[in-house]
Amino acid sequence: MDEDEFAAKPPSRLLELPPEVLQTTMYHMDPATFYISLLSCKTLFQTAKSKRILLRQLSRLPGLRLGLENLSLDELFLRFRRRAAESLCGAAVQANVSTYHSLPSLATAVFSPESSQLAGISAEWGSIISIYKLTEDDVVRKVELHPMENPQRWQVVKMAFSRSSDLAVLCKSRRESHESTLPEGIAPPKLKMHLVIFHRLYAEQKGYFYLDSAKDVREITYFIDEEPVGLAMAMCGTICISWIRRGDPIHHNEVFLYGRNHELMEACAYGTLDTNPPTSTAVGFPDQMQKQQIFFNAQFVSHDTVVNLYAPGNPVHSWFFKAQSRITSLHGPVNTNRTMIDIDKTGSLQEFAIGMPFYGWHREVAKNKSKRDTETCCMSYLAVGIDHSVPSNAFIVYRKEVIEREDCDHHIDLDAGRRAFYWKGIGLLAGWRQSSSSLGTIMAISPTKNRIAAAMWTQVLVWSFEPLLLCQGGRQHYFPVRDYNERKKLGRLRPVRLPSTGVVYSMSWRDESTLYATTDQGLVRWEMDHMCQGWRETISLGSVIWSRVAVW
């Protein structure tokens, strides 16, 4: 449409309605539509300034409702706009979506823990790693790393970042036979993979950077019928690899820890000593693991002292065990994260898988205000729990622990917080479902723990909430009346659906309003702050790159 046609278009008949009719219409709008209407024109913006309308719209959004009637009209208007922005009202329309093409293969790409970097495999050669820097405004390719010489002969199988942003790459030779069927009576031969670790270096003048020469190469032996399905790395250099062994009648898993060769590291001479790392395996597998057999991903948590194990396609881990700082002959025991919750308050218990607590809150409570020595400490934890009887039901679950003040170290330990049997559901994540696809459901929690994103194939949902208010109690004043069940003491969190951009492989929050995802269409970035205008752009990445060395 050209400018003349646009100018000749008649104005909307909606604005010709009397103000009282407009106010009645806006009174019955849902909060997202009402919030977007405020941004459409000055007439609707001014018409919306009515206490009756604003109080109704605020009552339909999560947030404390106490004392709202006492606020002035301007304060009430500002309160709604802030709360609507925090709840991502209208993000399905207003979110800016950027799709980055010309990236390497993203099926095995990994985000760094602080979500400032992405490592992907070159589409041309299967063993060249491209590292991209994820900024607030753009994505820039910074360096190419070569795990092995002669990239045509090698294939990258798995990659993982540590908390210090060291990068672990598991490579295997393209010439190795992958036949899993062997003549009867013949033991499967042992093969070798190469585990390459690129260390993130720092110089005062250059900042952080990677070097092809600053890498640690280890040999990993495996049988021809084994395949690595999970890789994780700790800051101390310990590697966790989960293997699946394909055979009859069922597949089964093994998990091994590979320790850093301390003599090799102290010698500071790579390749001069034996590079075979010491290994150990987790022991004491619970009955549930023996029945289900299969787990894929592994992740170091709690300052790299604990390893979580994930079943295929499940965003909440199923088992965990304690990992020592140095490799010993035994690790474990392997614990399960199952618990029983009476979610319906009917006396019948349902089995839940409880994820690693994502939020903790510590406070001191005085039993007697006149006697300070009678104070106790209260620790509250929030986690995601999935109902095993109905996998499409996911909840925010809560537990509280009270201990004497003199026995408390006044520190929140999320790993200790999950080692309890009693939890209760406080918020249903409406719209959640356990995807039946090969990728399963993918979950990401924002840095300040007030947003949860879940991807189910091409659908991406985001729930917003205030974790501190959920821990403080009085949740009947936080959830809207229509979303709170007084008998069950359970609220409902409504999601926002982001614009679909393809099949999602992985997700990571850059900050509270920026979400990145690797998809079959490329790297996607959603921006969801209150200044977004619904832009859709497709970007081809530039070639800002230093040969072999990246500095930022």
Side-chain angles (χ1 to χ4, degrees):
M1 179 180 294
D2 57 31
E3 294 183 1
D4 294 337
E5 292 177 343
F6 183 80
K9 186 178 180 180
S12 172
R13 301 293 298 273
L14 176 67
L15 301 181
E16 298 178 5
L17 296 174
E20 59 272 16
V21 176
L22 285 177
Q23 287 187 341
T24 301
T25 302
M26 300 180 81
Y27 179 85
H28 292 286
M29 288 179 179
D30 63 87
T33 304
F34 177 73
Y35 180 64
I36 293 177
S37 71
L38 302 180
L39 309 176
S40 61
C41 71
K42 183 178 180 181
T43 301
L44 295 180
F45 185 85
Q46 296 296 333
T47 305
K49 292 185 176 181
S50 164
K51 268 200 168 185
R52 173 174 171 269
I53 296 176
L54 295 173
L55 286 174
R56 172 174 171 79
Q57 295 295 342
L58 280 168
S59 69
R60 305 179 75 184
L61 289 175
L64 291 180
R65 301 186 301 276
L66 300 176
L68 293 178
E69 297 83 359
N70 302 324
L71 297 179
S72 66
L73 180 60
D74 290 339
E75 292 174 332
L76 202 61
F77 195 48
L78 181 60
R79 180 70 60 89
F80 169 78
R81 294 172 64 188
R82 286 179 175 174
R83 192 168 292 179
E86 292 171 355
S87 300
L88 295 181
C89 286
V93 177
Q94 289 183 284
N96 295 337
V97 183
S98 303
T99 303
Y100 294 86
H101 288 307
S102 301
L103 274 169
S105 174
L106 295 182
T108 56
V110 291
F111 290 99
S112 62
E114 74 281 6
S115 301
S116 65
Q117 297 179 109
L118 173 74
I121 303 173
S122 171
E124 183 178 359
W125 298 111
S127 64
I128 297 179
I129 308 296
S130 296
I131 294 185
Y132 291 81
K133 182 183 179 182
L134 310 181
T135 68
E136 296 180 358
D137 303 317
D138 205 355
V139 178
V140 181
R141 186 175 64 171
K142 305 302 292 188
V143 68
E144 285 185 353
L145 299 174
H146 300 71
M148 306 295 296
E149 297 297 333
N150 299 321
Q152 306 94 318
R153 298 174 52 190
W154 298 91
Q155 177 184 0
V156 173
V157 181
K158 291 287 180 181
M159 293 187 294
F161 278 105
S162 70
R163 289 191 299 121
S164 58
S165 292
D166 289 348
L167 177 63
V169 182
L170 193 59
C171 303
K172 69 177 179 181
S173 173
R174 294 180 181 273
R175 298 182 179 180
E176 299 286 3
S177 174
H178 301 289
E179 295 292 334
S180 58
T181 58
L182 295 172
E184 186 177 355
I186 298 179
K190 279 192 173 183
L191 305 176
K192 289 185 179 180
M193 288 190 184
H194 284 78
L195 178 65
V196 184
I197 299 177
F198 291 97
H199 301 285
R200 191 188 190 200
L201 308 177
Y202 178 79
E204 185 174 352
Q205 295 182 345
K206 294 183 177 181
Y208 291 101
F209 62 97
Y210 293 91
L211 283 174
D212 259 353
S213 58
K215 60 185 178 184
D216 178 10
V217 181
R218 319 180 199 178
E219 290 183 353
I220 305 294
T221 59
Y222 69 104
F223 291 102
I224 194 173
D225 59 346
E226 292 180 329
E227 177 184 348
V229 291
L231 175 67
M233 180 169 59
M235 286 183 63
C236 64
T238 300
I239 299 292
C240 179
I241 302 178
S242 55
W243 301 83
I244 184 171
R245 177 169 291 176
R246 304 188 181 278
D248 296 327
I250 57 176
H251 303 327
H252 69 278
N253 277 95
E254 295 176 337
V255 56
F256 286 92
L257 296 179
Y258 301 83
R260 174 171 290 182
N261 191 318
H262 294 278
E263 294 181 357
L264 177 65
M265 298 306 296
E266 292 171 1
C268 294
Y270 297 101
T272 60
L273 298 177
D274 183 13
T275 59
N276 291 324
T279 64
S280 68
T281 182
V283 297
F285 290 85
D287 293 338
Q288 289 162 324
M289 179 178 284
Q290 297 291 353
K291 293 176 182 178
Q292 297 193 15
Q293 296 292 333
I294 301 298
F295 57 87
F296 274 15
N297 295 330
Q299 179 187 24
F300 282 94
V301 295
S302 188
H303 303 288
D304 298 337
T305 60
V306 178
V307 178
N308 288 343
L309 301 175
Y310 294 78
N314 199 329
V316 172
H317 69 279
S318 298
W319 310 278
F320 62 95
F321 65 91
K322 189 172 182 61
Q324 307 296 332
S325 58
R326 284 177 177 264
I327 294 298
T328 58
S329 58
L330 296 178
H331 279 265
V334 178
N335 305 294
T336 182
N337 65 337
R338 308 294 176 86
T339 189
M340 307 299 290
I341 300 178
D342 182 11
I343 200 71
D344 294 322
K345 301 297 188 292
T346 58
S348 61
L349 298 176
Q350 293 88 38
E351 185 181 43
F352 273 73
I354 306 298
M356 184 80 176
F358 62 84
Y359 183 82
W361 179 49
H362 172 273
R363 63 184 175 123
E364 296 183 2
V365 182
K367 293 181 180 178
N368 189 336
K369 295 184 179 180
S370 62
K371 296 182 180 180
R372 186 168 178 80
D373 59 349
T374 61
E375 285 186 348
T376 60
C377 288
C378 176
M379 260 82 73
S380 302
Y381 301 93
L382 296 178
V384 174
I386 296 180
D387 188 350
H388 270 263
S389 59
V390 187
S392 60
N393 286 345
F395 299 83
I396 294 180
V397 295
Y398 167 84
R399 73 170 292 261
K400 180 175 68 174
E401 179 182 3
V402 179
I403 60 177
E404 295 298 328
R405 187 174 185 273
E406 56 271 17
D407 298 330
C408 180
D409 59 2
H410 311 292
H411 171 71
I412 290 292
D413 185 354
L414 297 180
D415 181 59
R418 68 170 165 181
R419 298 174 185 269
F421 186 77
Y422 177 75
W423 292 82
K424 65 178 181 179
I426 60 173
L428 170 68
L429 299 178
W432 176 288
R433 61 182 175 85
Q434 184 62 33
S435 176
S436 58
S437 71
S438 58
L439 297 174
T441 300
I442 300 165
M443 182 176 68
I445 301 177
S446 64
T448 57
K449 318 305 180 187
N450 63 351
R451 282 174 183 162
I452 296 176
M456 294 149 283
W457 198 242
T458 60
Q459 184 185 66
V460 179
L461 303 180
V462 179
W463 295 266
S464 300
F465 53 92
E466 297 183 52
L468 180 58
L469 293 180
L470 293 180
C471 289
Q472 288 177 337
R475 288 177 280 275
Q476 70 274 17
H477 302 298
Y478 174 79
F479 289 101
V481 175
R482 62 174 180 167
D483 291 329
Y484 187 74
N485 189 310
E486 182 65 34
R487 182 184 66 83
K488 297 181 180 180
K489 306 298 180 184
L490 182 67
R492 176 176 59 178
L493 291 169
R494 296 172 180 256
V496 172
R497 181 171 179 174
L498 298 181
S500 176
T501 56
V503 178
V504 176
Y505 298 137
S506 62
M507 292 191 303
S508 182
W509 290 89
R510 180 67 176 85
D511 51 47
E512 294 307 304
S513 60
T514 306
L515 176 66
Y516 279 95
T518 58
T519 73
D520 61 342
Q521 302 299 316
L523 179 67
V524 178
R525 180 181 66 197
W526 291 277
E527 295 176 282
M528 297 166 276
D529 60 38
H530 65 285
M531 298 299 292
C532 292
Q533 300 178 4
W535 293 339
R536 304 290 187 271
E537 57 182 355
T538 300
I539 304 172
S540 179
L541 288 178
S543 57
V544 181
I545 182 170
W546 287 266
S547 176
R548 301 281 178 155
V549 181
V551 180
W552 58 83

